[in-house]
PDB file of all heavy atoms in Angstrom:
ATOM      1  N   VAL A 769     -44.153 219.267 162.144  1.00 81.00           N
ATOM      2  CA  VAL A 769     -42.994 218.386 161.966  1.00 81.00           C
ATOM      3  C   VAL A 769     -42.052 218.451 163.167  1.00 81.00           C
ATOM      4  O   VAL A 769     -41.558 217.437 163.653  1.00 81.00           O
ATOM      5  CB  VAL A 769     -42.239 218.742 160.669  1.00 81.00           C
ATOM      6  CG1 VAL A 769     -40.978 217.888 160.517  1.00 81.00           C
ATOM      7  CG2 VAL A 769     -43.162 218.558 159.468  1.00 81.00           C
ATOM      8  N   TRP A 770     -41.798 219.673 163.659  1.00 77.00           N
ATOM      9  CA  TRP A 770     -40.855 219.845 164.768  1.00 77.00           C
ATOM     10  C   TRP A 770     -41.545 220.008 166.121  1.00 77.00           C
ATOM     11  O   TRP A 770     -40.897 220.021 167.151  1.00 77.00           O
ATOM     12  CB  TRP A 770     -39.955 221.046 164.514  1.00 77.00           C
ATOM     13  CG  TRP A 770     -38.838 220.768 163.532  1.00 77.00           C
ATOM     14  CD1 TRP A 770     -37.576 220.334 163.811  1.00 77.00           C
ATOM     15  CD2 TRP A 770     -38.905 220.902 162.117  1.00 77.00           C
ATOM     16  NE1 TRP A 770     -36.855 220.194 162.648  1.00 77.00           N
ATOM     17  CE2 TRP A 770     -37.637 220.539 161.586  1.00 77.00           C
ATOM     18  CE3 TRP A 770     -39.898 221.295 161.217  1.00 77.00           C
ATOM     19  CZ2 TRP A 770     -37.356 220.549 160.232  1.00 77.00           C
ATOM     20  CZ3 TRP A 770     -39.626 221.306 159.865  1.00 77.00           C
ATOM     21  CH2 TRP A 770     -38.364 220.930 159.379  1.00 77.00           C
ATOM     22  N   GLY A 771     -42.876 220.169 166.105  1.00 67.00           N
ATOM     23  CA  GLY A 771     -43.610 220.330 167.350  1.00 67.00           C
ATOM     24  C   GLY A 771     -43.627 221.750 167.870  1.00 67.00           C
ATOM     25  O   GLY A 771     -44.130 222.008 168.950  1.00 67.00           O
ATOM     26  N   ARG A 772     -43.089 222.676 167.099  1.00 62.00           N
ATOM     27  CA  ARG A 772     -43.102 224.085 167.497  1.00 62.00           C
ATOM     28  C   ARG A 772     -43.038 224.929 166.236  1.00 62.00           C
ATOM     29  O   ARG A 772     -42.445 224.541 165.231  1.00 62.00           O
ATOM     30  CB  ARG A 772     -41.899 224.417 168.399  1.00 62.00           C
ATOM     31  CG  ARG A 772     -40.557 224.124 167.748  1.00 62.00           C
ATOM     32  CD  ARG A 772     -39.417 224.271 168.741  1.00 62.00           C
ATOM     33  NE  ARG A 772     -38.116 224.186 168.112  1.00 62.00           N
ATOM     34  CZ  ARG A 772     -37.498 223.052 167.798  1.00 62.00           C
ATOM     35  NH1 ARG A 772     -38.094 221.908 168.039  1.00 62.00           N
ATOM     36  NH2 ARG A 772     -36.309 223.057 167.236  1.00 62.00           N
ATOM     37  N   SER A 773     -43.648 226.125 166.288  1.00 57.00           N
ATOM     38  CA  SER A 773     -43.687 226.991 165.115  1.00 57.00           C
ATOM     39  C   SER A 773     -42.578 228.029 165.135  1.00 57.00           C
ATOM     40  O   SER A 773     -42.422 228.786 164.191  1.00 57.00           O
ATOM     41  CB  SER A 773     -45.049 227.701 165.027  1.00 57.00           C
ATOM     42  OG  SER A 773     -45.297 228.460 166.199  1.00 57.00           O
ATOM     43  N   THR A 774     -41.836 228.078 166.220  1.00 58.00           N
ATOM     44  CA  THR A 774     -40.732 229.021 166.321  1.00 58.00           C
ATOM     45  C   THR A 774     -39.424 228.251 166.445  1.00 58.00           C
ATOM     46  O   THR A 774     -39.417 227.032 166.628  1.00 58.00           O
ATOM     47  CB  THR A 774     -40.907 229.945 167.548  1.00 58.00           C
ATOM     48  OG1 THR A 774     -40.980 229.132 168.726  1.00 58.00           O
ATOM     49  CG2 THR A 774     -42.180 230.766 167.422  1.00 58.00           C
ATOM     50  N   GLU A 775     -38.333 228.954 166.340  1.00 60.00           N
ATOM     51  CA  GLU A 775     -36.987 228.394 166.479  1.00 60.00           C
ATOM     52  C   GLU A 775     -36.614 227.434 165.359  1.00 60.00           C
ATOM     53  O   GLU A 775     -35.593 226.749 165.434  1.00 60.00           O
ATOM     54  CB  GLU A 775     -36.827 227.685 167.830  1.00 60.00           C
ATOM     55  CG  GLU A 775     -37.047 228.611 169.028  1.00 60.00           C
ATOM     56  CD  GLU A 775     -36.918 227.862 170.338  1.00 60.00           C
ATOM     57  OE1 GLU A 775     -36.594 226.659 170.295  1.00 60.00           O
ATOM     58  OE2 GLU A 775     -37.148 228.477 171.388  1.00 60.00           O
ATOM     59  N   VAL A 776     -37.456 227.310 164.321  1.00 69.00           N
ATOM     60  CA  VAL A 776     -37.125 226.508 163.139  1.00 69.00           C
ATOM     61  C   VAL A 776     -36.924 227.487 161.991  1.00 69.00           C
ATOM     62  O   VAL A 776     -37.875 228.072 161.487  1.00 69.00           O
ATOM     63  CB  VAL A 776     -38.244 225.499 162.808  1.00 69.00           C
ATOM     64  CG1 VAL A 776     -37.886 224.724 161.544  1.00 69.00           C
ATOM     65  CG2 VAL A 776     -38.470 224.558 163.974  1.00 69.00           C
ATOM     66  N   CYS A 777     -35.677 227.678 161.592  1.00 77.00           N
ATOM     67  CA  CYS A 777     -35.380 228.710 160.602  1.00 77.00           C
ATOM     68  C   CYS A 777     -35.830 228.267 159.215  1.00 77.00           C
ATOM     69  O   CYS A 777     -36.008 227.078 158.929  1.00 77.00           O
ATOM     70  CB  CYS A 777     -33.888 229.048 160.603  1.00 77.00           C
ATOM     71  SG  CYS A 777     -32.829 227.728 160.002  1.00 77.00           S
ATOM     72  N   LYS A 778     -35.999 229.246 158.347  1.00 82.00           N
ATOM     73  CA  LYS A 778     -36.447 228.988 156.980  1.00 82.00           C
ATOM     74  C   LYS A 778     -35.481 228.078 156.247  1.00 82.00           C
ATOM     75  O   LYS A 778     -35.888 227.211 155.471  1.00 82.00           O
ATOM     76  CB  LYS A 778     -36.602 230.324 156.247  1.00 82.00           C
ATOM     77  CG  LYS A 778     -37.050 230.195 154.803  1.00 82.00           C
ATOM     78  CD  LYS A 778     -37.145 231.562 154.151  1.00 82.00           C
ATOM     79  CE  LYS A 778     -37.527 231.440 152.686  1.00 82.00           C
ATOM     80  NZ  LYS A 778     -37.572 232.767 152.027  1.00 82.00           N
ATOM     81  N   ARG A 779     -34.171 228.267 156.483  1.00 85.00           N
ATOM     82  CA  ARG A 779     -33.166 227.459 155.800  1.00 85.00           C
ATOM     83  C   ARG A 779     -33.292 225.982 156.154  1.00 85.00           C
ATOM     84  O   ARG A 779     -33.144 225.107 155.292  1.00 85.00           O
ATOM     85  CB  ARG A 779     -31.765 227.973 156.169  1.00 85.00           C
ATOM     86  CG  ARG A 779     -30.631 227.228 155.488  1.00 85.00           C
ATOM     87  CD  ARG A 779     -30.717 227.328 153.992  1.00 85.00           C
ATOM     88  NE  ARG A 779     -29.601 226.665 153.347  1.00 85.00           N
ATOM     89  CZ  ARG A 779     -29.558 226.377 152.060  1.00 85.00           C
ATOM     90  NH1 ARG A 779     -30.580 226.696 151.272  1.00 85.00           N
ATOM     91  NH2 ARG A 779     -28.502 225.780 151.534  1.00 85.00           N
ATOM     92  N   THR A 780     -33.591 225.670 157.413  1.00 86.00           N
ATOM     93  CA  THR A 780     -33.761 224.280 157.833  1.00 86.00           C
ATOM     94  C   THR A 780     -34.930 223.634 157.102  1.00 86.00           C
ATOM     95  O   THR A 780     -34.832 222.498 156.617  1.00 86.00           O
ATOM     96  CB  THR A 780     -33.996 224.208 159.348  1.00 86.00           C
ATOM     97  OG1 THR A 780     -32.855 224.750 160.028  1.00 86.00           O
ATOM     98  CG2 THR A 780     -34.226 222.777 159.798  1.00 86.00           C
ATOM     99  N   LEU A 781     -36.038 224.358 156.994  1.00 87.00           N
ATOM    100  CA  LEU A 781     -37.204 223.837 156.287  1.00 87.00           C
ATOM    101  C   LEU A 781     -36.884 223.634 154.807  1.00 87.00           C
ATOM    102  O   LEU A 781     -37.257 222.613 154.212  1.00 87.00           O
ATOM    103  CB  LEU A 781     -38.386 224.791 156.463  1.00 87.00           C
ATOM    104  CG  LEU A 781     -39.708 224.378 155.803  1.00 87.00           C
ATOM    105  CD1 LEU A 781     -40.142 222.994 156.265  1.00 87.00           C
ATOM    106  CD2 LEU A 781     -40.787 225.408 156.102  1.00 87.00           C
ATOM    107  N   GLU A 782     -36.181 224.596 154.196  1.00 89.00           N
ATOM    108  CA  GLU A 782     -35.824 224.473 152.783  1.00 89.00           C
ATOM    109  C   GLU A 782     -34.950 223.251 152.537  1.00 89.00           C
ATOM    110  O   GLU A 782     -35.104 222.560 151.524  1.00 89.00           O
ATOM    111  CB  GLU A 782     -35.099 225.735 152.313  1.00 89.00           C
ATOM    112  CG  GLU A 782     -35.995 226.953 152.206  1.00 89.00           C
ATOM    113  CD  GLU A 782     -35.212 228.210 151.863  1.00 89.00           C
ATOM    114  OE1 GLU A 782     -33.962 228.174 151.996  1.00 89.00           O
ATOM    115  OE2 GLU A 782     -35.847 229.202 151.476  1.00 89.00           O
ATOM    116  N   GLN A 783     -34.027 222.970 153.440  1.00 90.00           N
ATOM    117  CA  GLN A 783     -33.146 221.809 153.279  1.00 90.00           C
ATOM    118  C   GLN A 783     -33.937 220.502 153.359  1.00 90.00           C
ATOM    119  O   GLN A 783     -33.676 219.573 152.579  1.00 90.00           O
ATOM    120  CB  GLN A 783     -32.058 221.842 154.348  1.00 90.00           C
ATOM    121  CG  GLN A 783     -31.026 222.945 154.143  1.00 90.00           C
ATOM    122  CD  GLN A 783     -30.049 223.047 155.298  1.00 90.00           C
ATOM    123  OE1 GLN A 783     -30.295 222.516 156.382  1.00 90.00           O
ATOM    124  NE2 GLN A 783     -28.937 223.724 155.086  1.00 90.00           N
ATOM    125  N   HIS A 784     -34.892 220.443 154.269  1.00 90.00           N
ATOM    126  CA  HIS A 784     -35.700 219.229 154.365  1.00 90.00           C
ATOM    127  C   HIS A 784     -36.589 219.061 153.137  1.00 90.00           C
ATOM    128  O   HIS A 784     -36.787 217.934 152.659  1.00 90.00           O
ATOM    129  CB  HIS A 784     -36.545 219.260 155.640  1.00 90.00           C
ATOM    130  CG  HIS A 784     -35.807 218.855 156.872  1.00 90.00           C
ATOM    131  ND1 HIS A 784     -34.907 219.686 157.507  1.00 90.00           N
ATOM    132  CD2 HIS A 784     -35.816 217.695 157.589  1.00 90.00           C
ATOM    133  CE1 HIS A 784     -34.403 219.068 158.571  1.00 90.00           C
ATOM    134  NE2 HIS A 784     -34.945 217.852 158.633  1.00 90.00           N
ATOM    135  N   ILE A 785     -37.138 220.160 152.620  1.00 91.00           N
ATOM    136  CA  ILE A 785     -37.939 220.086 151.402  1.00 91.00           C
ATOM    137  C   ILE A 785     -37.081 219.613 150.232  1.00 91.00           C
ATOM    138  O   ILE A 785     -37.495 218.766 149.422  1.00 91.00           O
ATOM    139  CB  ILE A 785     -38.565 221.462 151.070  1.00 91.00           C
ATOM    140  CG1 ILE A 785     -39.662 221.806 152.091  1.00 91.00           C
ATOM    141  CG2 ILE A 785     -39.124 221.481 149.652  1.00 91.00           C
ATOM    142  CD1 ILE A 785     -40.928 221.010 151.954  1.00 91.00           C
ATOM    143  N   TYR A 786     -35.865 220.138 150.137  1.00 91.00           N
ATOM    144  CA  TYR A 786     -34.961 219.740 149.054  1.00 91.00           C
ATOM    145  C   TYR A 786     -34.656 218.239 149.120  1.00 91.00           C
ATOM    146  O   TYR A 786     -34.715 217.529 148.104  1.00 91.00           O
ATOM    147  CB  TYR A 786     -33.661 220.542 149.144  1.00 91.00           C
ATOM    148  CG  TYR A 786     -32.569 220.018 148.236  1.00 91.00           C
ATOM    149  CD1 TYR A 786     -32.589 220.285 146.862  1.00 91.00           C
ATOM    150  CD2 TYR A 786     -31.528 219.243 148.746  1.00 91.00           C
ATOM    151  CE1 TYR A 786     -31.598 219.793 146.026  1.00 91.00           C
ATOM    152  CE2 TYR A 786     -30.536 218.748 147.915  1.00 91.00           C
ATOM    153  CZ  TYR A 786     -30.578 219.024 146.557  1.00 91.00           C
ATOM    154  OH  TYR A 786     -29.606 218.529 145.737  1.00 91.00           O
ATOM    155  N   ARG A 787     -34.352 217.734 150.314  1.00 91.00           N
ATOM    156  CA  ARG A 787     -34.036 216.314 150.447  1.00 91.00           C
ATOM    157  C   ARG A 787     -35.252 215.448 150.157  1.00 91.00           C
ATOM    158  O   ARG A 787     -35.134 214.366 149.564  1.00 91.00           O
ATOM    159  CB  ARG A 787     -33.490 216.027 151.850  1.00 91.00           C
ATOM    160  CG  ARG A 787     -32.074 216.552 152.066  1.00 91.00           C
ATOM    161  CD  ARG A 787     -31.436 215.918 153.291  1.00 91.00           C
ATOM    162  NE  ARG A 787     -32.081 216.361 154.516  1.00 91.00           N
ATOM    163  CZ  ARG A 787     -31.644 217.384 155.249  1.00 91.00           C
ATOM    164  NH1 ARG A 787     -30.592 218.084 154.874  1.00 91.00           N
ATOM    165  NH2 ARG A 787     -32.272 217.720 156.359  1.00 91.00           N
ATOM    166  N   LEU A 788     -36.438 215.925 150.573  1.00 90.00           N
ATOM    167  CA  LEU A 788     -37.657 215.161 150.300  1.00 90.00           C
ATOM    168  C   LEU A 788     -37.920 215.091 148.799  1.00 90.00           C
ATOM    169  O   LEU A 788     -38.261 214.030 148.261  1.00 90.00           O
ATOM    170  CB  LEU A 788     -38.842 215.800 151.023  1.00 90.00           C
ATOM    171  CG  LEU A 788     -40.173 215.059 150.915  1.00 90.00           C
ATOM    172  CD1 LEU A 788     -40.073 213.677 151.540  1.00 90.00           C
ATOM    173  CD2 LEU A 788     -41.288 215.868 151.583  1.00 90.00           C
ATOM    174  N   ARG A 789     -37.774 216.215 148.109  1.00 89.00           N
ATOM    175  CA  ARG A 789     -37.944 216.209 146.650  1.00 89.00           C
ATOM    176  C   ARG A 789     -36.972 215.245 145.984  1.00 89.00           C
ATOM    177  O   ARG A 789     -37.344 214.492 145.075  1.00 89.00           O
ATOM    178  CB  ARG A 789     -37.717 217.623 146.100  1.00 89.00           C
ATOM    179  CG  ARG A 789     -38.867 218.594 146.304  1.00 89.00           C
ATOM    180  CD  ARG A 789     -38.415 219.980 145.933  1.00 89.00           C
ATOM    181  NE  ARG A 789     -39.512 220.940 145.881  1.00 89.00           N
ATOM    182  CZ  ARG A 789     -39.334 222.255 145.941  1.00 89.00           C
ATOM    183  NH1 ARG A 789     -38.101 222.744 146.074  1.00 89.00           N
ATOM    184  NH2 ARG A 789     -40.363 223.060 145.879  1.00 89.00           N
ATOM    185  N   ARG A 790     -35.724 215.292 146.423  1.00 88.00           N
ATOM    186  CA  ARG A 790     -34.697 214.455 145.789  1.00 88.00           C
ATOM    187  C   ARG A 790     -34.968 212.971 146.027  1.00 88.00           C
ATOM    188  O   ARG A 790     -34.853 212.156 145.106  1.00 88.00           O
ATOM    189  CB  ARG A 790     -33.321 214.841 146.331  1.00 88.00           C
ATOM    190  CG  ARG A 790     -32.176 214.052 145.736  1.00 88.00           C
ATOM    191  CD  ARG A 790     -30.837 214.659 146.126  1.00 88.00           C
ATOM    192  NE  ARG A 790     -30.707 214.822 147.565  1.00 88.00           N
ATOM    193  CZ  ARG A 790     -30.300 213.851 148.397  1.00 88.00           C
ATOM    194  NH1 ARG A 790     -29.997 212.657 147.906  1.00 88.00           N
ATOM    195  NH2 ARG A 790     -30.206 214.075 149.686  1.00 88.00           N
ATOM    196  N   LYS A 791     -35.330 212.606 147.262  1.00 88.00           N
ATOM    197  CA  LYS A 791     -35.562 211.195 147.561  1.00 88.00           C
ATOM    198  C   LYS A 791     -36.815 210.664 146.866  1.00 88.00           C
ATOM    199  O   LYS A 791     -36.834 209.512 146.422  1.00 88.00           O
ATOM    200  CB  LYS A 791     -35.680 210.990 149.070  1.00 88.00           C
ATOM    201  CG  LYS A 791     -34.351 211.137 149.812  1.00 88.00           C
ATOM    202  CD  LYS A 791     -34.497 210.781 151.279  1.00 88.00           C
ATOM    203  CE  LYS A 791     -33.156 210.863 152.012  1.00 88.00           C
ATOM    204  NZ  LYS A 791     -33.265 210.470 153.438  1.00 88.00           N
ATOM    205  N   LEU A 792     -37.834 211.501 146.789  1.00 85.00           N
ATOM    206  CA  LEU A 792     -39.060 211.058 146.133  1.00 85.00           C
ATOM    207  C   LEU A 792     -39.008 211.255 144.624  1.00 85.00           C
ATOM    208  O   LEU A 792     -39.835 210.694 143.897  1.00 85.00           O
ATOM    209  CB  LEU A 792     -40.272 211.796 146.706  1.00 85.00           C
ATOM    210  CG  LEU A 792     -40.535 211.632 148.205  1.00 85.00           C
ATOM    211  CD1 LEU A 792     -41.804 212.375 148.598  1.00 85.00           C
ATOM    212  CD2 LEU A 792     -40.651 210.169 148.588  1.00 85.00           C
ATOM    213  N   SER A 793     -38.042 212.076 144.155  1.00 79.00           N
ATOM    214  CA  SER A 793     -37.893 212.373 142.718  1.00 79.00           C
ATOM    215  C   SER A 793     -39.215 212.798 142.109  1.00 79.00           C
ATOM    216  O   SER A 793     -39.647 212.293 141.076  1.00 79.00           O
ATOM    217  CB  SER A 793     -37.341 211.148 141.979  1.00 79.00           C
ATOM    218  OG  SER A 793     -36.080 210.795 142.468  1.00 79.00           O
ATOM    219  N   ILE A 794     -39.854 213.761 142.740  1.00 65.00           N
ATOM    220  CA  ILE A 794     -41.203 214.141 142.307  1.00 65.00           C
ATOM    221  C   ILE A 794     -41.237 215.449 141.543  1.00 65.00           C
ATOM    222  O   ILE A 794     -42.312 215.947 141.242  1.00 65.00           O
ATOM    223  CB  ILE A 794     -42.172 214.233 143.513  1.00 65.00           C
ATOM    224  CG1 ILE A 794     -41.668 215.254 144.519  1.00 65.00           C
ATOM    225  CG2 ILE A 794     -42.348 212.904 144.164  1.00 65.00           C
ATOM    226  CD1 ILE A 794     -42.597 215.459 145.680  1.00 65.00           C
ATOM    227  N   ASN A 795     -40.093 216.016 141.210  1.00 58.00           N
ATOM    228  CA  ASN A 795     -40.111 217.241 140.422  1.00 58.00           C
ATOM    229  C   ASN A 795     -39.600 217.009 139.007  1.00 58.00           C
ATOM    230  O   ASN A 795     -39.312 217.952 138.287  1.00 58.00           O
ATOM    231  CB  ASN A 795     -39.289 218.338 141.109  1.00 58.00           C
ATOM    232  CG  ASN A 795     -40.126 219.115 142.111  1.00 58.00           C
ATOM    233  OD1 ASN A 795     -41.169 218.652 142.526  1.00 58.00           O
ATOM    234  ND2 ASN A 795     -39.668 220.290 142.481  1.00 58.00           N
ATOM    235  N   SER A 796     -39.450 215.754 138.592  1.00 61.00           N
ATOM    236  CA  SER A 796     -39.077 215.482 137.215  1.00 61.00           C
ATOM    237  C   SER A 796     -40.288 215.709 136.306  1.00 61.00           C
ATOM    238  O   SER A 796     -41.434 215.716 136.759  1.00 61.00           O
ATOM    239  CB  SER A 796     -38.588 214.035 137.085  1.00 61.00           C
ATOM    240  OG  SER A 796     -39.597 213.139 137.510  1.00 61.00           O
ATOM    241  N   LEU A 797     -40.023 215.880 135.002  1.00 60.00           N
ATOM    242  CA  LEU A 797     -41.096 216.237 134.081  1.00 60.00           C
ATOM    243  C   LEU A 797     -42.162 215.157 133.975  1.00 60.00           C
ATOM    244  O   LEU A 797     -43.316 215.456 133.676  1.00 60.00           O
ATOM    245  CB  LEU A 797     -40.510 216.529 132.691  1.00 60.00           C
ATOM    246  CG  LEU A 797     -39.697 217.826 132.569  1.00 60.00           C
ATOM    247  CD1 LEU A 797     -39.144 217.963 131.168  1.00 60.00           C
ATOM    248  CD2 LEU A 797     -40.552 219.030 132.922  1.00 60.00           C
ATOM    249  N   ASP A 798     -41.803 213.895 134.197  1.00 60.00           N
ATOM    250  CA  ASP A 798     -42.779 212.825 134.057  1.00 60.00           C
ATOM    251  C   ASP A 798     -43.436 212.444 135.385  1.00 60.00           C
ATOM    252  O   ASP A 798     -44.134 211.444 135.465  1.00 60.00           O
ATOM    253  CB  ASP A 798     -42.116 211.582 133.440  1.00 60.00           C
ATOM    254  CG  ASP A 798     -40.972 211.052 134.301  1.00 60.00           C
ATOM    255  OD1 ASP A 798     -40.552 211.774 135.222  1.00 60.00           O
ATOM    256  OD2 ASP A 798     -40.509 209.937 134.027  1.00 60.00           O
ATOM    257  N   SER A 799     -43.219 213.231 136.419  1.00 70.00           N
ATOM    258  CA  SER A 799     -43.808 212.930 137.716  1.00 70.00           C
ATOM    259  C   SER A 799     -45.245 213.434 137.775  1.00 70.00           C
ATOM    260  O   SER A 799     -45.580 214.469 137.210  1.00 70.00           O
ATOM    261  CB  SER A 799     -42.992 213.571 138.839  1.00 70.00           C
ATOM    262  OG  SER A 799     -43.628 213.368 140.083  1.00 70.00           O
ATOM    263  N   GLN A 800     -46.087 212.673 138.477  1.00 76.00           N
ATOM    264  CA  GLN A 800     -47.480 213.077 138.648  1.00 76.00           C
ATOM    265  C   GLN A 800     -47.668 214.010 139.836  1.00 76.00           C
ATOM    266  O   GLN A 800     -48.757 214.522 140.056  1.00 76.00           O
ATOM    267  CB  GLN A 800     -48.356 211.839 138.828  1.00 76.00           C
ATOM    268  CG  GLN A 800     -48.427 210.950 137.595  1.00 76.00           C
ATOM    269  CD  GLN A 800     -49.294 209.732 137.824  1.00 76.00           C
ATOM    270  OE1 GLN A 800     -49.474 209.278 138.950  1.00 76.00           O
ATOM    271  NE2 GLN A 800     -49.839 209.201 136.752  1.00 76.00           N
ATOM    272  N   ILE A 801     -46.629 214.202 140.640  1.00 82.00           N
ATOM    273  CA  ILE A 801     -46.738 215.003 141.856  1.00 82.00           C
ATOM    274  C   ILE A 801     -45.625 216.032 141.884  1.00 82.00           C
ATOM    275  O   ILE A 801     -44.491 215.748 141.511  1.00 82.00           O
ATOM    276  CB  ILE A 801     -46.678 214.097 143.104  1.00 82.00           C
ATOM    277  CG1 ILE A 801     -47.945 213.247 143.184  1.00 82.00           C
ATOM    278  CG2 ILE A 801     -46.522 214.900 144.379  1.00 82.00           C
ATOM    279  CD1 ILE A 801     -47.967 212.285 144.328  1.00 82.00           C
ATOM    280  N   ARG A 802     -45.955 217.237 142.316  1.00 87.00           N
ATOM    281  CA  ARG A 802     -44.972 218.305 142.462  1.00 87.00           C
ATOM    282  C   ARG A 802     -45.109 218.958 143.833  1.00 87.00           C
ATOM    283  O   ARG A 802     -46.209 219.116 144.349  1.00 87.00           O
ATOM    284  CB  ARG A 802     -45.184 219.394 141.391  1.00 87.00           C
ATOM    285  CG  ARG A 802     -44.958 218.935 139.955  1.00 87.00           C
ATOM    286  CD  ARG A 802     -43.485 218.932 139.606  1.00 87.00           C
ATOM    287  NE  ARG A 802     -43.257 218.588 138.217  1.00 87.00           N
ATOM    288  CZ  ARG A 802     -43.214 219.474 137.232  1.00 87.00           C
ATOM    289  NH1 ARG A 802     -43.392 220.748 137.483  1.00 87.00           N
ATOM    290  NH2 ARG A 802     -42.987 219.078 135.993  1.00 87.00           N
TER     291      ARG A 802
END
């Protein structure tokens, strides 16, 4: 995603995962994808 495996902190990745989940709304109980 960033083109490098270093200098990308865990918190940055967690924030992007959180925003992706929210925008796709894929963690609701009726979702087919998690």
Side-chain angles (χ1 to χ4, degrees):
V769 176
W770 282 269
R772 58 188 188 278
S773 58
T774 59
E775 300 178 4
V776 178
C777 68
K778 179 181 177 182
R779 181 60 177 166
T780 299
L781 181 55
E782 289 175 345
Q783 289 174 344
H784 279 76
I785 290 288
Y786 169 77
R787 287 196 292 266
L788 184 62
R789 283 170 170 161
R790 181 170 53 84
K791 288 186 177 182
L792 300 183
S793 299
I794 59 177
N795 273 18
S796 58
L797 289 178
D798 60 347
S799 175
Q800 294 179 335
I801 291 177
R802 295 279 184 89

